[in-house]
Amino acid sequence: MSTTIEYVRFACAEPEQLTARRDELITLLRERYGSDFLGAHLARYEDGSLLDLILWASPEAAARAAEEMPGDPAAGEFFRLIGEVHEMRHAEVLHSAQQ
């Protein structure tokens, strides 16, 4: 097993509302995936699109969540705020460093 990054770049007409719903989504990910969910970062590009980086304990956990979460009624309010998805990918972490 290896740590996996889920990378999603997308449009959002109401980023403030999406950000306000973010804590609910993070709580749901922790409840549903336990120790397989390692963390998440949401960022905004200069063009206004958003980047969601989610860290998973394995590629299997990342794939499972990517399949399950968009249709999960408990996450519906968050996902309804997402517009066009420009790119979604998973990548294996080869090296990490922290301050």
Side-chain angles (χ1 to χ4, degrees), residues 3-96:
T3 302
T4 298
I5 292 175
E6 181 174 323
Y7 164 98
V8 186
R9 190 174 70 85
F10 58 94
C12 179
E14 300 176 29
E16 294 79 18
Q17 286 187 22
L18 183 109
T19 302
R21 295 258 178 218
R22 183 84 170 152
D23 286 336
E24 294 170 18
L25 178 70
I26 298 302
T27 297
L28 183 60
L29 292 173
R30 286 185 177 128
E31 289 172 357
R32 297 278 165 85
Y33 302 101
S35 62
D36 282 335
F37 172 72
L38 302 178
H41 302 276
L42 183 66
R44 183 182 355 225
Y45 285 101
E46 289 178 0
D47 69 0
S49 65
L50 300 181
L51 169 68
D52 204 348
L53 285 175
I54 302 176
L55 297 173
W56 297 100
S58 70
E60 295 81 14
R64 183 175 147 225
E67 182 179 320
E68 294 172 352
M69 291 310 295
D72 189 314
E77 291 300 317
F78 181 85
F79 283 98
R80 274 191 276 285
L81 294 167
I82 293 175
E84 178 185 354
V85 175
H86 302 298
E87 184 175 12
M88 179 178 178
R89 303 182 76 151
H90 291 140
E92 177 185 3
V93 174
L94 299 178
H95 179 271
S96 293

